[in-house]
Structures are given as C-alpha cells and as structure tokens.
Amino acid sequence: MSDYQTLSFEQHGATARIVLDRPDAANGMNDLMTRELADVAARCDVPTTKAVVLTGAGRFFCAGGDLKAMAASPAGPGRFVKGIADDLHRAISTFARMDAVLITAVNGVAAGAGFSLAVAGDLVLAADNASFTMAYSRAGLSPDGSSSYYLPRIIGVRRTQELMLTNRTLTAAEAWDWGLVTEVVPAADLADRAQDLAGQMSSAARGSSAAVKKLLLASFGSGLEEQMELEGRLIAACAESADGREGIQAFLAKRTPDFS
C-alpha cells in the first residue's frame, strides 16, 4: 500500500490498483489528488505492468473538481483550477499512452471530471447503481479531463452536446446503451469483475495491448494510408517480439500461449 494522502495504490504482479480515496468529499479532485494521480499514473507506465484498475472509495467514483477548495484558494479559482486541470491532463495522457490497459471500475456517481476520467478508460465497467453526469455548466464551468476529445468520438457530437449543455444524468444502463461503458455489472460484483478482467489483460501479450492503444489513438488524426502504414509497422514489431513468436508457436501447437 502506498503512502499517498488522497488515493491508494497497490501492485500485485502485472496488475496495479488505484483507488480515489476522499470518500468524505465524494472523491472530489483537489490540487493534491490530481498531483498524486499524475504521479501514480507515471508509476503504472512501466514494462512490468499490464493492467491498471482505477476505482473510487465509498459511494462515489468521483464527483469532479472540489469546488470548496477552488473557492477557498488564495491563488484565485482560475489559477487553482488550471493547476488541477494540468495535473489531471498529465495523468490522463499517461494512462492513454502507457502500454498497460486502463480499466475504470465506476462504483457510483461519476460527475464532472469524474465522468471525464471514467470514460477515458480503455475498458469501462459500471456498477448497476452508477450514474454519469457532466455537471460543469451547472457550476458555470466548462468541460475538462479529455471529455471534449473522447466523447464526440465515442457517442457523437449531438449526444455530447446534450450531456454537456443540459447536464443530463445517465444511469449505468443508459451509459451502456450509448456506448460509454463496456459492461454493467451488479454493484456487489464490480470489484471481482474488475479484478477478473485485469487478470485477463495481465495474461495477454503486453505488446499487442500497447499496439491496439497506439492504433486507436492515431486513427483519430491519420489518413487511410498513414494508418495502414502504422498497422503494418506495429504488427511486424509484434511478430518479431518474444510474445509474438510465442503466440504464433502456441497457435500452431494448439496450446495456450505463455506470454512474458
């Protein structure tokens, strides 16, 4: 267990687990939490980690930015929230570009930056009692945490406009129907399902998972030929790797591969 003040961090084999841990403040993001989140993201960006589970403590996943801390900051709310956003964005960028698969396990309310962080996962699990709302404009603010990048690509511009402008709250079932989450599970089973999925990712070829993440990020800005060239280069690199050679041999021998 780590010595972070606003979150906990554990590493078991190839799986890391991060818990947002300010339950008395609905796991709201203050300046310390976002600094610690950026730090822990960097700790996960190592060759020995294949899967990262991110969840919240208590009833909330994350209620977004800590407005009390924002209002009380001697630096003023603008400078304070810019610092929070910068650190949060550093964390999300690391999660997006690390080779490990990020599994967000949404255990309750995901609002504001908590919504943004939740849907930035590579795989998104939601408890059946979870809910999702943007909530930014309700406080006179605008979205951050990568939501203006990911949401139009995941659910389209029209639905993104509805969420951001009206602050509509989606149930877990609605979020699944919209394509925001990968799977909805009973609340009591969320932690076990997240661990099972992390175990599946930890037994997979790390290079393959990394290549999938690189390809999907690049596809947003690449033309057809540029994207196909990247596909060719990445599949070749995978085939030359130890895991690639093992995967090919295991397939030919009709056995389960033993990836490093």
Side-chain angles (χ1 to χ4, degrees), residues 19-258:
V19 181
L20 306 177
D21 195 13
R22 299 186 69 216
D24 293 340
N27 296 327
M29 294 183 187
N30 60 9
D31 51 343
L32 179 57
M33 175 180 277
T34 53
R35 284 199 304 270
E36 291 188 338
L37 191 61
D39 183 83
V40 79
R43 291 180 65 176
C44 295
D45 189 13
V46 293
T48 52
T49 299
K50 290 186 176 183
V52 179
V53 175
L54 173 62
T55 192
R59 297 186 301 109
F60 289 79
F61 175 74
C62 175
D66 187 333
L67 298 184
K68 289 183 179 179
M70 192 183 304
S73 172
R79 184 174 176 184
F80 182 80
V81 77
K82 181 60 164 60
I84 288 178
D86 287 348
D87 286 332
L88 174 61
H89 295 165
R90 188 154 52 96
I92 290 174
S93 179
T94 301
F95 286 140
R97 299 187 183 283
M98 68 183 180
D99 290 349
V101 174
L102 176 65
I103 301 167
T104 51
V106 186
N107 55 295
V109 174
F115 184 131
S116 302
L117 180 60
V119 300
D122 300 307
L123 297 169
V124 183
L125 302 179
D128 55 7
N129 61 353
S131 63
F132 300 80
T133 183
M134 284 269 89
Y136 289 97
S137 64
R138 190 177 299 146
L141 302 174
S142 58
D144 66 350
S146 76
S147 57
S148 64
Y149 179 84
Y150 280 117
L151 284 182
R153 290 164 169 83
I154 296 171
I155 62 173
V157 173
R158 283 287 174 252
R159 282 184 160 176
T160 298
Q161 288 169 323
E162 180 180 359
L163 290 178
M164 291 183 173
L165 294 172
T166 73
N167 299 308
R168 174 176 173 174
T169 297
L170 299 180
T171 66
E174 288 171 328
W176 177 83
D177 184 60
W178 281 32
L180 280 167
V181 304
T182 308
E183 183 180 342
V184 177
V185 299
D189 299 335
L190 180 66
D192 288 342
R193 176 60 183 138
Q195 192 60 39
D196 288 345
L197 192 55
Q200 181 182 340
M201 294 299 98
S202 293
S203 65
R206 183 172 182 270
S208 293
S209 297
V212 168
K213 294 181 65 165
K214 289 182 175 71
L215 286 169
L216 293 180
L217 278 177
S219 71
F220 296 148
S222 296
L224 173 61
E225 286 72 24
E226 183 181 4
Q227 187 71 12
M228 289 192 296
E229 177 63 18
L230 181 60
E231 287 179 345
R233 289 178 179 274
L234 287 177
I235 196 172
C238 286
E240 285 291 335
S241 70
D243 278 347
R245 292 174 185 272
E246 165 61 13
I248 293 167
Q249 291 302 314
F251 180 85
L252 295 175
K254 299 182 179 180
R255 60 175 175 81
T256 301
D258 181 18

